[in-house]
Every structure is written in structure tokens, then in C-alpha cells.
Amino acid sequence: MSSSSDTSRWGPIQTNGRWKIHAKTHLTVLAIVVIAESIGTISFPLGPGKLVLLPMLFAVGFGLLVSYSVLGKHIPPLQQFVSKDVSRLSSPLLIISLMPLGVKYGTLVGPSFQQLIDAGFAFVFQELGNLGTIFLALPLALLLGLKREAIGSAVSIAREPTLGVITDKYGIESPEGRGVLGTYLTGTVLGTVFFGLLGGYATVTGLHPLALSMACGMGSASMMTACSASLAKAVPASVATDEKILSFAATSNLLTGITGLYIVLFVGLPLINKLYAYLAPLLGREQ
Amino acid sequence: MTTLSEREFGFDSLKMLLVVGILTLVGNTIGYGISPMAAAPGMLLIVAIGLVSLFLGRHLSLELPSFAYAMVIAFLLSLPYSPVQETVLSLTEPVSFLATTTPILAYAGLSIALQVTRMKEVSWKLVIVAVVVFFGTFFGSAIISQIMLSAQGVI
């Protein structure tokens, strides 16, 4: 890692002479945690399925709401307290606050190691399932009139590794770069809520909870967590225990973390480029 | 802002881990009724593993996030073959899984604010494609998993 990106990433956690920003940030989070946990988990039936709203979904909503760029914009005293610096400090804190979750996931995966080995092949192959997006999203992108942006936007769920690969190959200012940034930003802003709702609701498809939990592992740690925790709430323990659902999701997420970059680089990108060359003349709009 | 020295990085991230630990224990008490005293020893173990993981994330050139190291370390410690499995599981058990997620998403919400303005520059077409990407990735992966798991007789 270069020292400049390191500075921008970790610089804000410096405590020396910055206690005010730290106090504001952590007190804001304390208030959000207290309120979100007091509300607790709410689940209600919706059509054939069940929607599960976990405290973490309230937390992400409240965090965004009280921030300088949403409510703070209209309420100056709020913006003074929950300032832009609070948001800047929150980015590295996001990485740090993932540590307890990572440990909890590890302690769920360890004891169920044998079951995971039994499902070994499924884990390897489902990484390829992540490419399913290309066949669905590329045609749509072309129908919407996107050109090379379609490549970047449809190639994968676009977390950091994909963002890196596309930026490296095409540059962030290129159409492909704009495309990947679109999917990346949408995932950052909407991903947790989207997968939190989808995870619990996806049981209506009739797919097995373990298959769904493996699918929950395809994106970022927050997406995986929101998805698998809602799924675990929606599925009765007689079908699959919480531990089993969470450990399958976490293992799939870890494997995606290790292989994701290579799958995008060596399979996803060549595939979407071929498919683009074939489909663009058929579906693409003329200028 | 200057680059953090190794020492500063260590101390500052330790302080931040302790802050996160306290926030998690508060949520653990309010949401899941577990006394902070019961969960504190496990939280200290988590803070220790977290600190090691942050250093590994900073120094190993595997391009893996620290989150992955925290998971792998806890995984190794809690394997059936591990001599400390019992200890690790009984220490971390009082720290509720869901309680660890709430502070993460609170910080995430606050930091997303930095991207909201950039989000306005993203065309609505790209947002629609992104949502379809989410569905496609999720169900592509779920369908393959379903087929493979049934082929192996796991489900």
C-alpha cells in the first residue's frame, strides 16, 4: 500500500489533539446504537414472505440521516455537531468496527468446519454464480442505451477489488470507469438496506436457505451481514440453524474476498467484453 | 494530516477498538439483555485479535481486508482441533452476533454521507443497472449453490 493512500485512510483515527472530533463521532454512534437496539428487530409478513428489519438497518439509516450532507444541510446546529469531519473519521472506524464481527464470524465457522468441507465443491462453483449478473445486467444496460459504461457497471457487484481492476485497466475517467463507479456507489449507499431486505425475503423463491446464505456472501462484509442475519431471522431453526446460515455466508464471503479479483480479471471481464461485442449491435441504440 | 507512525497506528487503533468494544457492549446490554461484565472478557479477546488483524491488513501484501484476518484467526482458534476452542467459544459467546453489527452500520451510515454528493452525479440508468446487478449476482450464486449442494447431497 502506498503511503499516500495510507495517510488518507488511517489519518483520521489520530487521537492526538483531535479529541473533540472523536468525542462527537463516538457519541453520535453511541446515540444511534442505543436507539437502534431499543427499537430491536421488527419483522412483519409482506405478501408471501416476511420482511425483517434488524437494528443494523436502523443504524445505517439514522447514521446517514443525521450526517452533514442530509439533515445537517438543513439544521446548522446538527451539522456543527455531526460535521463532515465526523463522517471522515467514520470511514476508518468502519474498518475497525468490523473486527468484532469478523471474530464472531470466525467462531461460527470454526465449529462447523466439517459441514463446510462437505459442501466444498458448492463453495468453489458458486463463485462462478456471481457472474450471473453479466447475463442479466448487460442486456438491460444496452437496452437503456449505455455504451462502454455497460462493461464497468454490469461486470460484477463491484466492491473494492473490481473497482481496482477496472480503474487499473481502463482508468477511472473512462466510460468503463464511470460504469463501475456507478455500481460501486449504488452498492455503498443502498447495498446494506437492499440485501437486508432481500436476505429475509428471498426464502419465497423456494431456494434452500443454505444456498441463499452462500449467495449472501457475494458482496461487501456489510452486505453479507445484513443479508445473512435477516435470512437467519426469517428461517426457522428446524430448517437451518442461525450458526449454520451465518457460517455458510461468512465462508462464501471470505472465498469471494480471495478469488473475486481473479474471477473478475480472468473470467468476468473477458466474458463481458465478448458478450458486449455480440450484443451491442443487436440491442444497443444508435447515437 | 500526517502519515501515522507505526506506534501511533498501534495506539490509536487500540483506542478505537476499545471505543468500538464499549459501544458493542452497550448495544449488547440494551438489545440482548447481556450484562457488560459477562461480555467484557470476551470483548478483550476480540480487541486483541482485532489489533493483530489490523496490523496484518496493513503489512501483509495479500490484498485482503483486516476483516478477513480477524475471521481467519478466530476460525483457527475455534476449530475442533484447537486446544483453546472451548475457551474462545465460551468467552465470545456472551457477545451477541447482532450487537457487533449495529456500531458498524452506524459508522457506515455516517461515512456514506461523504459519497452522497458523488451519488448525485451517477445517472439513473447506472443505478437501475446496479440494482439488476445485485439481483443477478445474488440469484446466480444462489442457483449454482442450490444445484451443487443438492448434487452433493448436503441439502
Side-chain angles (χ1 to χ4, degrees), chain B residues 104-128:
Chain B
I104 301 170
L105 272 300
Y107 285 116
L110 289 169
S111 69
I112 289 169
L114 296 167
Q115 318 270 2
V116 167
T117 25
R118 287 169 80 198
M119 191 68 203
K120 285 177 191 147
E121 292 160 26
V122 176
S123 92
W124 61 270
K125 289 178 182 174
L126 285 176
V127 177
I128 292 178

mmCIF file of all heavy atoms in Angstrom, chain B residues 104-128:
data_model
loop_
_atom_site.group_PDB
_atom_site.id
_atom_site.type_symbol
_atom_site.label_atom_id
_atom_site.label_comp_id
_atom_site.label_asym_id
_atom_site.label_seq_id
_atom_site.Cartn_x
_atom_site.Cartn_y
_atom_site.Cartn_z
ATOM 1 N N ILE B 104 -21.109 -0.965 13.479
ATOM 2 C CA ILE B 104 -20.538 -0.952 12.116
ATOM 3 C C ILE B 104 -21.407 -0.130 11.187
ATOM 4 O O ILE B 104 -20.938 0.751 10.469
ATOM 5 C CB ILE B 104 -20.460 -2.384 11.527
ATOM 6 C CG1 ILE B 104 -19.608 -3.287 12.399
ATOM 7 C CG2 ILE B 104 -19.945 -2.364 10.097
ATOM 8 C CD1 ILE B 104 -19.689 -4.754 11.991
ATOM 9 N N LEU B 105 -22.709 -0.446 11.226
ATOM 10 C CA LEU B 105 -23.599 0.216 10.284
ATOM 11 C C LEU B 105 -23.851 1.670 10.659
ATOM 12 O O LEU B 105 -24.151 2.486 9.792
ATOM 13 C CB LEU B 105 -24.907 -0.561 10.143
ATOM 14 C CG LEU B 105 -24.919 -1.667 9.080
ATOM 15 C CD1 LEU B 105 -24.638 -1.093 7.709
ATOM 16 C CD2 LEU B 105 -23.934 -2.776 9.342
ATOM 17 N N ALA B 106 -23.706 2.001 11.955
ATOM 18 C CA ALA B 106 -23.824 3.414 12.340
ATOM 19 C C ALA B 106 -22.645 4.207 11.746
ATOM 20 O O ALA B 106 -22.839 5.263 11.135
ATOM 21 C CB ALA B 106 -23.860 3.543 13.854
ATOM 22 N N TYR B 107 -21.430 3.673 11.915
ATOM 23 C CA TYR B 107 -20.273 4.332 11.289
ATOM 24 C C TYR B 107 -20.419 4.344 9.766
ATOM 25 O O TYR B 107 -20.071 5.320 9.094
ATOM 26 C CB TYR B 107 -18.968 3.619 11.668
ATOM 27 C CG TYR B 107 -18.497 3.893 13.076
ATOM 28 C CD1 TYR B 107 -18.424 2.877 14.026
ATOM 29 C CD2 TYR B 107 -18.100 5.176 13.450
ATOM 30 C CE1 TYR B 107 -17.982 3.125 15.325
ATOM 31 C CE2 TYR B 107 -17.656 5.439 14.745
ATOM 32 C CZ TYR B 107 -17.600 4.405 15.677
ATOM 33 O OH TYR B 107 -17.157 4.661 16.945
ATOM 34 N N ALA B 108 -20.939 3.244 9.210
ATOM 35 C CA ALA B 108 -21.116 3.174 7.756
ATOM 36 C C ALA B 108 -22.067 4.273 7.287
ATOM 37 O O ALA B 108 -21.763 4.988 6.329
ATOM 38 C CB ALA B 108 -21.640 1.797 7.353
ATOM 39 N N GLY B 109 -23.180 4.431 7.988
ATOM 40 C CA GLY B 109 -24.146 5.461 7.609
ATOM 41 C C GLY B 109 -23.515 6.846 7.609
ATOM 42 O O GLY B 109 -23.676 7.620 6.665
ATOM 43 N N LEU B 110 -22.760 7.132 8.677
ATOM 44 C CA LEU B 110 -22.098 8.446 8.758
ATOM 45 C C LEU B 110 -21.087 8.624 7.632
ATOM 46 O O LEU B 110 -20.958 9.708 7.062
ATOM 47 C CB LEU B 110 -21.406 8.591 10.118
ATOM 48 C CG LEU B 110 -22.332 8.771 11.324
ATOM 49 C CD1 LEU B 110 -21.563 8.622 12.623
ATOM 50 C CD2 LEU B 110 -23.011 10.144 11.267
ATOM 51 N N SER B 111 -20.349 7.557 7.293
ATOM 52 C CA SER B 111 -19.322 7.736 6.265
ATOM 53 C C SER B 111 -19.913 7.739 4.858
ATOM 54 O O SER B 111 -19.336 8.334 3.952
ATOM 55 C CB SER B 111 -18.217 6.683 6.401
ATOM 56 O OG SER B 111 -18.700 5.417 6.064
ATOM 57 N N ILE B 112 -21.064 7.103 4.686
ATOM 58 C CA ILE B 112 -21.717 7.126 3.367
ATOM 59 C C ILE B 112 -22.030 8.575 2.966
ATOM 60 O O ILE B 112 -22.024 8.916 1.786
ATOM 61 C CB ILE B 112 -23.023 6.284 3.373
ATOM 62 C CG1 ILE B 112 -22.706 4.797 3.456
ATOM 63 C CG2 ILE B 112 -23.845 6.551 2.119
ATOM 64 C CD1 ILE B 112 -23.926 3.933 3.732
ATOM 65 N N ALA B 113 -22.269 9.422 3.989
ATOM 66 C CA ALA B 113 -22.568 10.832 3.721
ATOM 67 C C ALA B 113 -21.536 11.456 2.777
ATOM 68 O O ALA B 113 -21.859 12.319 1.968
ATOM 69 C CB ALA B 113 -22.627 11.601 5.030
ATOM 70 N N LEU B 114 -20.278 10.982 2.873
ATOM 71 C CA LEU B 114 -19.216 11.523 2.008
ATOM 72 C C LEU B 114 -19.468 11.195 0.536
ATOM 73 O O LEU B 114 -18.958 11.874 -0.345
ATOM 74 C CB LEU B 114 -17.853 10.956 2.422
ATOM 75 C CG LEU B 114 -17.349 11.319 3.824
ATOM 76 C CD1 LEU B 114 -16.159 10.447 4.195
ATOM 77 C CD2 LEU B 114 -16.957 12.791 3.881
ATOM 78 N N GLN B 115 -20.229 10.118 0.286
ATOM 79 C CA GLN B 115 -20.451 9.672 -1.097
ATOM 80 C C GLN B 115 -21.767 10.209 -1.665
ATOM 81 O O GLN B 115 -22.001 10.091 -2.855
ATOM 82 C CB GLN B 115 -20.515 8.140 -1.159
ATOM 83 C CG GLN B 115 -19.487 7.428 -0.322
ATOM 84 C CD GLN B 115 -18.214 7.164 -1.067
ATOM 85 O OE1 GLN B 115 -18.093 7.553 -2.228
ATOM 86 N NE2 GLN B 115 -17.264 6.518 -0.425
ATOM 87 N N VAL B 116 -22.624 10.733 -0.776
ATOM 88 C CA VAL B 116 -23.955 11.117 -1.228
ATOM 89 C C VAL B 116 -23.896 12.165 -2.335
ATOM 90 O O VAL B 116 -24.616 12.079 -3.325
ATOM 91 C CB VAL B 116 -24.813 11.614 -0.044
ATOM 92 C CG1 VAL B 116 -26.066 12.312 -0.535
ATOM 93 C CG2 VAL B 116 -25.199 10.438 0.831
ATOM 94 N N THR B 117 -22.986 13.114 -2.183
ATOM 95 C CA THR B 117 -22.888 14.157 -3.216
ATOM 96 C C THR B 117 -22.410 13.567 -4.542
ATOM 97 O O THR B 117 -22.899 13.943 -5.602
ATOM 98 C CB THR B 117 -21.926 15.268 -2.772
ATOM 99 O OG1 THR B 117 -21.013 14.722 -1.839
ATOM 100 C CG2 THR B 117 -22.678 16.416 -2.136
ATOM 101 N N ARG B 118 -21.478 12.602 -4.463
ATOM 102 C CA ARG B 118 -20.997 11.964 -5.700
ATOM 103 C C ARG B 118 -22.121 11.144 -6.328
ATOM 104 O O ARG B 118 -22.190 10.979 -7.542
ATOM 105 C CB ARG B 118 -19.811 11.055 -5.401
ATOM 106 C CG ARG B 118 -18.543 11.825 -5.094
ATOM 107 C CD ARG B 118 -17.491 10.884 -4.558
ATOM 108 N NE ARG B 118 -16.828 10.158 -5.611
ATOM 109 C CZ ARG B 118 -16.127 9.034 -5.385
ATOM 110 N NH1 ARG B 118 -16.036 8.545 -4.172
ATOM 111 N NH2 ARG B 118 -15.513 8.419 -6.371
ATOM 112 N N MET B 119 -22.960 10.583 -5.480
ATOM 113 C CA MET B 119 -24.058 9.749 -5.965
ATOM 114 C C MET B 119 -24.966 10.536 -6.903
ATOM 115 O O MET B 119 -25.538 9.983 -7.828
ATOM 116 C CB MET B 119 -24.828 9.248 -4.742
ATOM 117 C CG MET B 119 -25.833 8.172 -5.013
ATOM 118 S SD MET B 119 -25.078 6.624 -5.507
ATOM 119 C CE MET B 119 -26.458 5.896 -6.384
ATOM 120 N N LYS B 120 -25.084 11.856 -6.650
ATOM 121 C CA LYS B 120 -25.958 12.676 -7.483
ATOM 122 C C LYS B 120 -25.453 12.765 -8.921
ATOM 123 O O LYS B 120 -26.215 13.052 -9.839
ATOM 124 C CB LYS B 120 -26.085 14.087 -6.892
ATOM 125 C CG LYS B 120 -27.000 14.090 -5.677
ATOM 126 C CD LYS B 120 -27.081 15.459 -5.034
ATOM 127 C CE LYS B 120 -27.783 15.366 -3.683
ATOM 128 N NZ LYS B 120 -27.288 16.322 -2.709
ATOM 129 N N GLU B 121 -24.144 12.515 -9.104
ATOM 130 C CA GLU B 121 -23.586 12.573 -10.460
ATOM 131 C C GLU B 121 -23.792 11.267 -11.224
ATOM 132 O O GLU B 121 -23.516 11.180 -12.407
ATOM 133 C CB GLU B 121 -22.086 12.883 -10.390
ATOM 134 C CG GLU B 121 -21.805 14.287 -9.883
ATOM 135 C CD GLU B 121 -20.386 14.416 -9.358
ATOM 136 O OE1 GLU B 121 -19.511 13.658 -9.803
ATOM 137 O OE2 GLU B 121 -20.171 15.280 -8.486
ATOM 138 N N VAL B 122 -24.229 10.225 -10.509
ATOM 139 C CA VAL B 122 -24.445 8.942 -11.173
ATOM 140 C C VAL B 122 -25.805 8.958 -11.847
ATOM 141 O O VAL B 122 -26.805 9.292 -11.224
ATOM 142 C CB VAL B 122 -24.378 7.781 -10.144
ATOM 143 C CG1 VAL B 122 -24.697 6.458 -10.803
ATOM 144 C CG2 VAL B 122 -23.014 7.741 -9.484
ATOM 145 N N SER B 123 -25.821 8.606 -13.137
ATOM 146 C CA SER B 123 -27.094 8.682 -13.863
ATOM 147 C C SER B 123 -28.053 7.605 -13.362
ATOM 148 O O SER B 123 -27.640 6.552 -12.883
ATOM 149 C CB SER B 123 -26.867 8.534 -15.363
ATOM 150 O OG SER B 123 -26.974 7.178 -15.746
ATOM 151 N N TRP B 124 -29.347 7.882 -13.499
ATOM 152 C CA TRP B 124 -30.358 6.925 -13.019
ATOM 153 C C TRP B 124 -30.236 5.589 -13.730
ATOM 154 O O TRP B 124 -30.548 4.555 -13.189
ATOM 155 C CB TRP B 124 -31.762 7.524 -13.184
ATOM 156 C CG TRP B 124 -32.129 7.831 -14.616
ATOM 157 C CD1 TRP B 124 -31.911 8.998 -15.279
ATOM 158 C CD2 TRP B 124 -32.738 6.953 -15.569
ATOM 159 N NE1 TRP B 124 -32.336 8.909 -16.571
ATOM 160 C CE2 TRP B 124 -32.852 7.659 -16.774
ATOM 161 C CE3 TRP B 124 -33.194 5.646 -15.521
ATOM 162 C CZ2 TRP B 124 -33.404 7.093 -17.932
ATOM 163 C CZ3 TRP B 124 -33.743 5.079 -16.665
ATOM 164 C CH2 TRP B 124 -33.853 5.805 -17.862
ATOM 165 N N LYS B 125 -29.743 5.629 -14.966
ATOM 166 C CA LYS B 125 -29.582 4.371 -15.709
ATOM 167 C C LYS B 125 -28.591 3.455 -15.001
ATOM 168 O O LYS B 125 -28.797 2.255 -14.884
ATOM 169 C CB LYS B 125 -29.084 4.649 -17.121
ATOM 170 C CG LYS B 125 -30.112 5.280 -18.010
ATOM 171 C CD LYS B 125 -29.536 5.568 -19.384
ATOM 172 C CE LYS B 125 -30.579 6.241 -20.257
ATOM 173 N NZ LYS B 125 -30.010 6.652 -21.546
ATOM 174 N N LEU B 126 -27.486 4.050 -14.518
ATOM 175 C CA LEU B 126 -26.481 3.229 -13.835
ATOM 176 C C LEU B 126 -27.024 2.683 -12.514
ATOM 177 O O LEU B 126 -26.658 1.586 -12.096
ATOM 178 C CB LEU B 126 -25.198 4.037 -13.594
ATOM 179 C CG LEU B 126 -24.335 4.268 -14.841
ATOM 180 C CD1 LEU B 126 -23.139 5.157 -14.509
ATOM 181 C CD2 LEU B 126 -23.841 2.951 -15.435
ATOM 182 N N VAL B 127 -27.897 3.444 -11.869
ATOM 183 C CA VAL B 127 -28.487 2.956 -10.613
ATOM 184 C C VAL B 127 -29.374 1.741 -10.895
ATOM 185 O O VAL B 127 -29.319 0.738 -10.192
ATOM 186 C CB VAL B 127 -29.286 4.066 -9.905
ATOM 187 C CG1 VAL B 127 -29.962 3.528 -8.648
ATOM 188 C CG2 VAL B 127 -28.364 5.231 -9.546
ATOM 189 N N ILE B 128 -30.162 1.824 -11.973
ATOM 190 C CA ILE B 128 -31.022 0.681 -12.330
ATOM 191 C C ILE B 128 -30.167 -0.534 -12.661
ATOM 192 O O ILE B 128 -30.427 -1.641 -12.181
ATOM 193 C CB ILE B 128 -31.922 1.041 -13.531
ATOM 194 C CG1 ILE B 128 -32.932 2.100 -13.095
ATOM 195 C CG2 ILE B 128 -32.633 -0.195 -14.068
ATOM 196 C CD1 ILE B 128 -33.835 2.557 -14.208
#
